[in-house]
Structures are given as structure tokens and as C-alpha cells.
Amino acid sequence: MIKSLTLYLRRHPALLVGLLASLMFLPWLGLPLFNTKGEPREAIVAVSMLQSGDWVLPVSFGGDIPYKPPFLAWCIALLSWLAGGVSEYTSRLPSALAAIALAVATQRWARRGGASAAASAVTAILTVTCFEVWRAVSTWCSPFLWRQPRWL
């Protein structure tokens, strides 16, 4: 059983990278409290969306509250709705899922570029263990992962 699993993961390094990235990010998302003003602000937008039902332009105390494009707030609201409420974990989950997708995409890109399976997996893991990526996923709502490109 273990031998066949090892062989399968060697043949499919993207799966291995996805599993490792998931183990790095997902278990600890909800441990730290909100610690910047941007992180709870995005969570409040999601709370407002869930309470009012207005997913386009949520309002809080009579004033518009979103300051950024709504995609991150939509993701937080959707995942929080599925989980039963907005929390630190659900507000960080979209960023963690984006980082896991970044790791898998990096591995696939390196593999297509001619790297071996092991080298492409190491490249992907090194990418997501970069301090800025780690901080963006684990301690705040990573605006750099969700920022709208300037050319759009």
C-alpha cells in the first residue's frame, strides 16, 4: 500500500505539491486573531453580504464599505456561508486556496519547462515557503494574491 502510494506520488508530483501545501497552510489558518486593519475589514464586508443579501454593494451603518474589488469578499462570504459563519479561518481560506493553486501551477510550469519531477516539486515548495507568500496566507488576507492586475 505505502509502496504504491509512493509510486503514485512520484508519477504525479503536482498532487504531492498540493498535499504538502495544504498541510502547510490549512491546519493553522484560524489560530492567530485578526491582526491588521485590512483583514477584519474584508471579513466585515463578507458579514455584511451574508446579513443583508446584497452581494454587489454591501452597506454598513448606511455607508458603502468595500474599498477593493469584491472577488475576495465574495469568496470569503461563500466559504463562510458553507461553514456557517465568518471566522478567522474562513476569511483566510480563499488566500490559502490561492496559495495552494499557486504551488501546483508553479510545479506544472517548472515541469513543462524541462525540470525533473523532483526539481519541479522543490521549486513549487520553495515558492510557497517564501516569507511574503507565507505571511500573506497565514496572517492576513493577502491582497497581493487577489490584487487586480493593472492591465485589466
Side-chain angles (χ1 to χ4, degrees), residues 51-139:
Q51 287 178 348
S52 69
D54 188 359
W55 288 63
V56 177
L57 190 61
V59 176
S60 179
F61 299 112
D64 301 341
I65 57 174
Y67 293 97
K68 296 181 180 179
F71 185 69
L72 178 59
W74 289 342
C75 291
I76 294 170
L78 179 64
L79 291 169
S80 298
W81 177 72
L82 292 172
V86 177
S87 67
E88 286 90 351
Y89 190 90
T90 59
S91 66
R92 293 179 183 126
L93 188 56
S95 298
L97 295 175
I100 293 166
L102 172 72
V104 171
T106 301
Q107 186 279 327
R108 308 264 311 169
W109 173 79
R111 188 77 170 128
R112 281 200 187 122
S116 68
S120 63
V122 168
T123 301
I125 295 302
L126 283 175
T127 300
V128 295
T129 57
C130 165
F131 175 73
E132 200 56 38
V133 173
W134 182 265
R135 182 175 70 110
V137 171
S138 62
T139 59

